[in-house]
Amino acid sequence: MLRRLALTAVVPLAVLATAVPASTATASGPASTGPVPAAVPTSGPFAAARPALGPLPMPLPLPGFLDGGEGTGAGEADEARTRLTVSVENTGVPGADGTFELECGPTGGSHPEGQAACDLLAEAGATRSGRQELFRETPEGTMCTMIHGGDAFARIVGTWEGRAVDTTASRRDGCEIARWNSLVPVLPDVR
């Protein structure tokens, strides 16, 4: 929506930039009877406040959040848009416990399944519901099945697509098991 508003503002400015100089020109030629009327006051209190006429400057490139992510803002080229620290414990899976760094755009860090995790995050970030639901904790009072999925516990902290993330996940009931499974491969598969 913000992108649409910005683009809506840029188009009229471009039209105005080409129309204003033409409205202040004087007509010349065989059919000319004098100056072309302009929308600038020639008498009264506003006569002294004449605008500086001429072409308006070209608009600057839109920041990344307005142009769909293709632009590069200040420091964006040097900094990954997604940077998460994933701490996992008590999974019972060899090599799954520990603290791992995950960077996306480009993929990096110590996460054992970095590319697959970045792919999941990019896929979720491409949809509005994915952006809203991916790291959201189970709401208080939600009815969940009383299935214990183990003692695995994880904490995810950092930024994802420029948004702050600080969440925990466990396998204490059916809702948390489903949430954990939706975060695989960011979290290890412990099924």
Side-chain angles (χ1 to χ4, degrees), residues 11-139:
V11 171
L13 287 175
V15 170
L16 184 63
T18 58
V20 169
S23 68
T24 60
T26 57
S28 60
S32 170
T33 60
V36 174
V40 179
T42 56
S43 63
F46 297 109
R50 291 188 166 254
L53 299 176
L56 294 175
M58 291 300 295
L60 297 173
L62 296 174
F65 67 91
L66 289 176
D67 67 358
E70 290 94 24
T72 55
E76 188 177 278
D78 300 323
E79 202 171 307
R81 292 175 51 122
T82 297
R83 211 172 260 181
L84 298 173
T85 301
V86 181
S87 301
V88 183
E89 57 188 45
N90 301 324
T91 61
V93 176
D97 292 353
T99 300
F100 308 100
E101 299 295 323
L102 175 64
E103 294 181 18
C104 301
T107 303
S110 60
H111 194 284
E113 295 186 48
Q115 186 59 52
C118 288
D119 291 345
L120 171 80
L121 295 172
E123 182 179 320
T127 65
R128 181 176 183 196
S129 62
R131 287 189 301 272
Q132 293 174 344
E133 300 292 325
L134 185 63
F135 291 110
R136 193 179 86 165
E137 296 188 15
T138 304

